Amino acid sequence: MRQLIGLCLSASIVALWFTAAPCTASLDAGLVMTGGKVYTVVGDGWSSSPQEAIVIGLNGNILYVGTDAEAEKYKGGDALSVPLEGRAVLPGFTDTHCHPLEAMASQFSCQLFKEARADDFADELSRCAGEASKGTSWLLGAGHDINELLKDVAAGRMPVTVLDEKVSDRPAAMLEYQSHSAWLNSAALKEMGWESGGTPAGGVVQMSGGSPTGIVFENAVNMVFHKASGAIPADQTKEDLVEGLKPLSRAGITGIIDGRTYFSRQGNAEAWTSLKSEDRLPVRVVLTPWIHPEKEDDAQIAELKGYYSTGTGAEDLVRTLQVKIYSDGIIDQGTAALLSTYSAPAFSPDIIIVPAGTETSCEDGIDNDNNTLVDCLDPACSTSPSCGLNYFTKARLEKYIKALECDPGFDFHIHVIGDRACREALDAIQASNKCSGTKSPRHLLTHVWMVSDADVPRFGSLGVTADIQLQDEISELDEYNAAYQSLLATRSNNQASNNMFPVKRIADASGRVTLSSDYDVSPDPNPFIAIKRAVAEGQMTLEDAIEAHGREGAFAMRAEAVTGTLEVGKRGDIVVLDKDPFGVDTAQLDQIKALLTLLGGRQTHSQGGEFGSDVSIGTPLGSSSEGGMDGGAAGG
Ligand SMILES: [Zn+2]
């Protein structure tokens, strides 16, 4: 039987992709799944009326959703018949902010870790410094925690010195695990022209006693890695992406928005299109060209327009519909933009790294000398500690939105963490927002940790999606809430309300909310981590939380015509779960596993065992297959 299925599948794959049909199934059915709980996620109240069966056609579209009795007529012929045995089926999940390529950056030779000071890395730095650099003249690494290195700075042991003692023959750069700071040696500072300090646009070179400490923040990090990563071979980038995508398929995710795509970095955007053309791409993706603070505006706007791509339409697996722009940084290191002054909770005020604003009366909100940075703030922010850092001033953000949202039609994917960053982004969108019809904007603010009460209703009224991560690694809520409360206490102007991650506040005010993982900043992209948390904290019902990780994400991706719900005619993007989320305690939600993930009817993940091992349609797309379902069985 197994062999028969295999033979027939080989033919089915031919039918699926080359339109010949040597193994024609009844009514063109490719996969008939019966006896389950098929949650369509159509309308409201869908959780109370699951269907029994779902049928996927050889063309990868959903042919039927309904009763077992009706599904019987699709059986026979070459259709693969799979009893669900009561298991739950949902639309494939979306992850509207994640970093699969950065998750597997193989050029990182040095593997650092959290909870360690600079000198604790001596052995690892000796080891990796003894290896040849990978595809670049730089030595690169990642994984440390900035808060630990800042303790070294406070103690007078400069991180640059520690790194120089191990690596002096070439530039070395270590990326912090949250990717908002980096640790450089002297050769790297020299390579960047920062050996005596510097003022990178949207970034900071930390100084102590007139010399760089070796730590750089925010856009300075991007400038370093942009330069250092330029020589990575394109094939290596592509294989990194293949590996980085596997955890997403294993988690039942079929649609993603790439958290940032460096079109100007070698092989970065091409990796996606290349995998698509090789039929190896296991997700549908919206790419997001990164907007560089250090580039001149008009030239960059022209460049960005050239990247816009709707592909062949909503069903195309790779489309470039959003641009990624950072408004601010992160709270820990004092670079999140807040409405009033604050000291970063994680370290003492005397190590504040953000320079206070110097100009407070720029007419157009842009510092024309620098054309970018921190300045033009409320005068109250021009003190130390400051109100945080901007990658782009509000006026400059508005300029980009106006230039790109109607023609060619980019949606903006804006990093905001502080309440000031949030307000400035909403202000800039409000000042733009002039397109209608199919170009009606679907801008998205991601992270959205702190929102002033006054700004909460603006998500709904402006049609802006709040994309929020509730993954444990990012939002260790107790820790951050404690830090946040102490932060609030230091603020002279307490305008923010008191919950971070304001899912419920925004949803209650008719705003759209998506849940995403920020993988690999959080190591596990399992959507049920955030779903559990949203439910356990009383921020969402289980039904709403599942919609926020799927149907709402499909909308944000402009893919709702083809995915996000289980309806006839949509693509077969589905996930089969080992447990029914509506049948387990909230505390158990994050234990739910994806047994099978299909993208357009093609298997991207199958967990082995009594259920998964015999289920397949289409090739495995080079993705995960636990339990013996890899490659050959169905690959024909
Ligand atoms: Zn991110």
Side-chain angles (χ1 to χ4, degrees):
M1 186 60 190
R2 181 95 186 260
Q3 192 176 7
L4 282 176
I5 289 172
L7 286 171
C8 196
L9 273 170
S10 298
S12 298
I13 294 155
V14 173
L16 196 56
W17 296 100
F18 301 97
T19 66
C23 194
T24 308
S26 168
L27 298 173
D28 294 327
L31 180 63
V32 182
M33 303 177 102
T34 52
K37 285 188 172 178
V38 179
Y39 293 105
T40 62
V41 195
V42 175
D44 292 323
W46 49 264
S47 63
S48 61
S49 53
Q51 302 295 321
E52 297 169 328
I54 182 165
V55 180
I56 311 240
L58 287 170
N59 63 0
N61 286 348
I62 297 173
L63 271 183
Y64 176 75
V65 185
T67 65
D68 285 345
E70 281 293 309
E72 282 298 322
K73 42 171 94 154
Y74 293 91
K75 289 187 177 176
D78 302 321
L80 187 62
S81 181
V82 175
L84 288 164
E85 297 172 351
R87 291 185 178 85
V89 177
L90 281 173
F93 291 109
T94 56
D95 193 337
T96 38
H97 183 91
C98 58
H99 305 278
L101 176 55
E102 286 156 295
M104 290 295 154
S106 63
Q107 75 270 30
F108 288 154
S109 304
C110 313
Q111 308 299 326
L112 309 186
F113 47 89
K114 290 185 248 178
E115 290 159 16
R117 301 278 288 270
D119 281 311
D120 295 330
F121 300 121
D123 289 348
E124 173 61 6
L125 291 171
S126 294
R127 184 199 65 76
C128 60
E131 291 184 354
S133 296
K134 297 176 180 174
T136 165
S137 57
W138 291 58
L139 180 68
L140 303 179
H144 65 280
D145 181 345
I146 181 62
N147 296 309
E148 298 299 315
L149 291 201
L150 290 171
K151 290 175 189 168
D152 289 310
V153 175
R157 172 78 165 145
M158 292 305 143
V160 65
T161 308
V162 179
L163 197 47
D164 282 347
E165 287 167 5
K166 299 295 177 187
V167 192
S168 56
D169 60 334
R170 65 203 132 141
M174 307 294 138
L175 182 65
E176 203 257 353
Y177 85 97
Q178 300 176 97
S179 79
H180 285 257
S181 68
W183 173 19
L184 309 183
N185 70 354
S186 293
L189 288 163
K190 187 156 186 281
E191 186 80 18
M192 299 303 296
W194 299 333
E195 61 269 42
S196 308
T199 54
V204 175
V205 177
Q206 188 188 32
M207 304 293 285
S208 175
S211 299
T213 65
I215 297 176
V216 299
F217 293 95
E218 302 300 344
N219 194 47
V221 180
N222 297 298
M223 292 166 73
V224 165
F225 281 87
H226 191 76
K227 190 159 197 170
S229 303
I232 304 295
D235 280 356
Q236 182 65 61
T237 301
K238 195 164 76 179
E239 292 315 310
D240 286 348
L241 181 58
V242 168
E243 291 302 310
L245 287 166
K246 286 181 178 177
L248 298 172
S249 301
R250 278 199 286 269
I253 293 162
T254 55
I256 68 168
I257 300 175
D258 189 33
R260 55 186 177 194
T261 316
Y262 293 101
F263 270 66
S264 50
R265 190 179 289 172
Q266 186 181 354
N268 215 292
E270 293 78 3
W272 297 92
T273 48
S274 177
L275 284 182
K276 183 185 85 167
S277 66
E278 295 170 11
D279 284 336
R280 296 170 66 204
L281 187 62
V283 293
R284 55 186 79 251
V285 62
V286 168
L287 300 182
T288 59
W290 162 269
I291 305 183
H292 297 258
E294 71 275 19
K295 288 191 178 177
E296 193 277 323
D297 292 339
D298 292 341
Q300 179 159 227
I301 285 167
E303 182 186 350
L304 290 164
K305 285 187 174 189
Y307 296 147
Y308 183 79
S309 168
T310 58
T312 55
E315 77 288 352
D316 201 318
L317 290 186
V318 181
R319 296 174 299 154
T320 306
L321 304 178
Q322 299 191 350
V323 282
K324 175 67 185 292
I325 191 162
Y326 273 42
S327 176
D328 66 343
I330 57 177
I331 289 176
D332 311 37
Q333 57 191 38
T335 53
L338 268 56
L339 286 164
S340 56
T341 60
Y342 73 110
S343 296
F347 53 94
S348 66
D350 57 329
I351 330 175
I352 289 296
I353 54 85
V354 178
T358 52
E359 293 182 42
T360 55
S361 59
C362 327
E363 281 183 22
D364 59 358
I366 297 176
D367 169 1
N368 292 317
D369 298 333
N370 196 349
N371 198 28
T372 49
L373 241 180
V374 185
D375 302 326
C376 312
L377 298 178
D378 184 311
C381 289
S382 299
T383 57
S384 183
S386 80
C387 302
L389 168 150
N390 289 85
Y391 280 61
F392 290 84
T393 60
K394 180 168 80 177
R396 197 173 174 216
L397 180 57
E398 191 179 313
K399 177 179 180 180
Y400 275 85
I401 297 175
K402 282 181 172 167
L404 293 168
E405 75 167 357
C406 297
D407 175 23
F410 273 119
D411 297 319
F412 275 63
H413 189 118
I414 309 175
H415 168 113
V416 302
I417 284 192
D419 47 12
R420 180 166 64 82
C422 181
R423 175 168 296 172
E424 289 174 356
L426 291 170
D427 286 351
I429 288 169
Q430 186 168 350
S432 311
N433 250 1
K434 299 291 188 283
C435 344
S436 57
T438 57
K439 292 291 175 69
S440 182
R442 298 186 185 182
H443 302 309
L444 175 149
L445 306 191
T446 190
H447 308 313
V448 194
W449 284 24
M450 301 167 63
V451 182
S452 170
D453 280 341
D455 293 321
V456 166
R458 300 175 75 199
F459 284 87
S461 62
L462 292 170
V464 173
T465 295
D467 178 59
I468 299 178
Q469 295 89 34
L470 297 176
Q471 302 295 99
D472 293 324
E473 282 289 315
I474 295 173
S475 54
E476 288 150 337
L477 210 57
D478 292 342
E479 179 190 324
Y480 272 116
N481 258 345
Y484 177 63
Q485 293 304 334
S486 70
L487 186 158
L488 278 180
T490 69
R491 295 174 64 180
S492 56
N493 183 10
N494 187 348
Q495 299 175 64
S497 279
N498 298 318
N499 292 319
M500 298 187 77
F501 318 108
V503 168
K504 180 173 169 54
R505 287 164 66 208
I506 292 172
D508 284 352
S510 303
R512 286 183 181 272
V513 175
T514 51
L515 295 175
S516 62
S517 72
D518 208 2
Y519 159 76
D520 67 316
V521 176
S522 64
D524 186 351
N526 175 12
F528 280 106
I529 296 173
I531 289 169
K532 170 190 169 184
R533 194 145 192 168
V535 175
E537 291 173 0
Q539 298 226 50
M540 280 183 153
T541 65
L542 177 55
E543 200 175 81
D544 287 347
I546 289 172
E547 290 174 15
H549 235 311
R551 194 172 87 188
E552 291 299 306
F555 179 87
M557 294 174 66
R558 293 183 183 269
E560 74 274 17
V562 299
T563 191
T565 59
L566 302 181
E567 295 177 82
V568 172
K570 286 195 175 183
R571 300 294 288 157
D573 296 358
I574 75 170
V575 57
V576 180
L577 304 170
D578 67 342
K579 295 189 193 71
D580 179 0
F582 294 93
V584 301
D585 291 340
T586 299
Q588 301 299 313
L589 280 171
D590 59 349
Q591 303 303 310
I592 295 175
K593 298 269 186 292
L595 291 178
L596 176 75
T597 311
L598 301 181
L599 172 73
R602 304 181 82 189
Q603 182 172 314
T604 61
H605 158 69
S606 169
Q607 188 175 46
E610 91 279 20
F611 174 77
S613 57
D614 282 326
V615 179
S616 181
I617 179 171
T619 54
L621 294 166
S623 187
S624 71
S625 283
E626 291 151 2
M629 268 302 295
D630 57 0

